[in-house]
Amino acid sequence: MNVHAMNTQSQSPDDGIRAGDLLMDVRNVSLRFGGVNAITDISFNVRKGEIRAIIGPNGAGKTSMLNVINGFYTPQEGTIMFRGKERRGMKPHHAVRQGIARTFQNVALFKGMSTLDNIMTGRSVFMKRNLLWQMLWHGPALTEEIEHREKVEEIIDFLEIQHIRSTLVGKLPYGLQKRVELGRALAMEPSLLLLDEPMAGMNLEEKEDMSRFILDVNRQRGTTIALIEHDMGVVMDLSDRVVVLDYGKKIADGVPDAVKSNPQVIDAYLGVEH
Amino acid sequence: MLYRTAGQFKTSYHADHALFPVRQDAWLLGVILVCAFVVIPAVASEFAINALLIPVLIYALAALGLNILTGYAGQLSLGTGAFMGVGAYACYKIITIFPDLNLVVAIALSGFFSAAVGVAFGLPSLRIKGFYLAIATLAAQFFLVWLFEKWSWLYNYNASGAIQVANVDMFGITVAGPNAAPVTQYYFVLGVVAVVTWFAINITRGRIGRVWKSVRDMDIAAELVGIDLMKAKLSAFAVSSYIVGIAGALFVFLWRGAAEPNLFDIPLSFRVLFIAIIGGLGSIMGNYLGAILIVALPVMLGTLPGAFGLTIASATVEHLNVMIIGALIIFFLIVEPHGLARLWAIIREKLIMWPFPH
């Protein structure tokens, strides 16, 4: 059933932005829930083709930041420029259409569906045949289904999950569920992939596998990645640039080595007397 | 042995996307269809057709409609009976206004009315979920039944307040009304039900089916993979109510022959919901199994004492019936809470392994 080895370049979404140019620019974003300042005046950018890590202690506002980026929360202040355009009043399903996909901290798969169906759901945005064609099944709807099935099989091959293709994801072990979730996000062919703790709760071997997949996605598919992760070893090895948040504020931004030796970052992680 | 899948390889996605990847399933369906279309009409008595077969098919169709909404899209609804009523009254009015219209066309059109009403009462689903949504759909139940009673235009200003099906001819054959032959009606219902079921299978296994299931399993994640929740939920309400409406039209035109407003009251909604739950939510076949259990079994149990030569007062038979069916429902729900369809799936899995379970 395997399809031929994928053409590595064809997968890279062509959006007219060259590698290294700004893909997303977050400008002075603040997010409040009542009296709680989840995010205060944060600015940072993501360049095309890089792996950008967002780190910080618990409750620093990392996940809120991702939720702002993909339109789940609307910030009270600040703007987000994506592909050079400002985004306003965005709903999450619009973010996907613009090329932002994400995975979740707690696995958010469709438990009653097979691995294949889960990843196929990620292709829904690209599938156009309406109810009438779907009713007939044979003809255009089936052609479209198989066309997308081929793309999905490429992802299944890429993530090495062929053996669980038709298993209900609710029955899969945690590490594989995380992988299926990555597959579903990849199926959306994002130009920016947001990963919320892709390695949380994994053992060393699973972490190594997942790191390899993240690097492969970045290099072979040219997907820009922004990830949240607590494992500092992983973060420092994988990412090109790191932004550090603490209590909703940005305290450092730069290449891993610079961030690692930043005294404010060390204080935030080790704690300091106030 | 019978169900061995060894040696059945798929060499294309086309083959893998077939309705029955396992050959034996296709044969089984073939046998059932031959029975339904050829054997049963030849063998069954008029009583069996009228009291067993036609209602089973119609209830299964209504449950199928509800299952699309509740089992596939995860939106609980208690308004099924009222939506069936909308289909029935719409069909009645269409036939009144265009007496020469083909009945199939009239029934197909009446589905659009119930779909529109279903979407209107589905709007709360954008805000509320679960049991609260069920209560909101209950409003449809009360409002629509009240409307059927009060809006006399709907029943052509009859003194009785009920709708009465006149004889309807199709290609020179009477298909509905007092003069219609049960076998004709059976074939009519079977044809409609088979076609709608085939459409429903196709929708649920394609893109739209996946979209519905994703909304059911985790609506937040569905939104974040680019699914428009509003569209997904309302399309489920539309398709579901369309099918339920058709079932309602068949219910009155091909089976009951007449209907009063209170026929479409809550007990009907619950009956259809029970069929869907006991048959298995999220399954197409389950609706048929559920309908057989809930609709056909009481009738068959009722004829049993007579068959054994026992004379039991009909009231007693009725009571026994209720008790036995109630016990069976509890039994099946304890044995398999996911319904008869899951029970069959487990049996089938075992059969594939049998007789070498390792």
Side-chain angles (χ1 to χ4, degrees), chain B residues 13 21 37 59 61 84 114 116 118 125 148 193 196 199 219 229 232 234 254 261 274 282 300 303 307 328 344 348 355:
Chain B
Y13 294 132
F37 275 97
Y59 273 109
L61 187 66
M84 283 175 82
S114 60
S125 71
F148 299 152
V193 170
V196 174
F199 285 154
D219 51 355
L229 288 186
L234 292 186
L254 276 301
F274 291 159
M300 297 207 289
T303 58
L328 275 177
W344 164 243
R348 181 174 165 274

Side-chain angles (χ1 to χ4, degrees), chain A residues 1-3 70 72 91-93 96-97 102 104 107-113 116-117 120-122 124-125 127-131 134-138 142 144-146 149-150 153 184 188, chain B residues 10-19 198-203 205-229 231 239 342 349:
Chain A
M1 303 251 289
N2 291 353
V3 289
N70 79 344
F72 201 63
K91 290 260 186 225
H93 62 261
V96 175
R97 274 159 224 265
R102 78 171 284 184
F104 292 82
V107 182
L109 286 169
F110 308 125
K111 294 222 173 353
M113 294 160 78
L116 181 64
D117 276 349
M120 282 293 276
T121 311
S124 303
V125 195
M127 297 175 80
K128 300 279 176 262
R129 294 293 166 202
N130 61 19
L131 189 68
Q134 301 263 329
M135 270 164 56
L136 292 175
W137 182 258
H138 293 280
L142 184 58
E144 185 186 52
E145 185 93 358
I146 287 173
R149 171 82 189 262
E150 279 165 9
E153 289 292 340
R184 190 181 65 190
M188 295 178 236
Chain B
K10 305 288 175 297
T11 50
S12 67
Y13 294 132
H14 210 287
D16 200 38
H17 277 268
L19 185 52
W198 187 64
F199 285 154
I201 291 172
N202 287 341
I203 295 171
R205 66 184 168 146
R207 169 180 66 91
I208 296 174
R210 280 194 298 271
V211 165
W212 287 340
K213 284 189 262 183
S214 68
V215 172
R216 170 195 71 189
D217 284 350
M218 192 171 272
D219 51 355
I220 292 175
E223 203 175 3
L224 293 177
V225 296
I227 288 165
D228 187 340
L229 288 186
K231 247 189 189 168
V239 173
R342 180 65 68 84
E349 234 167 72

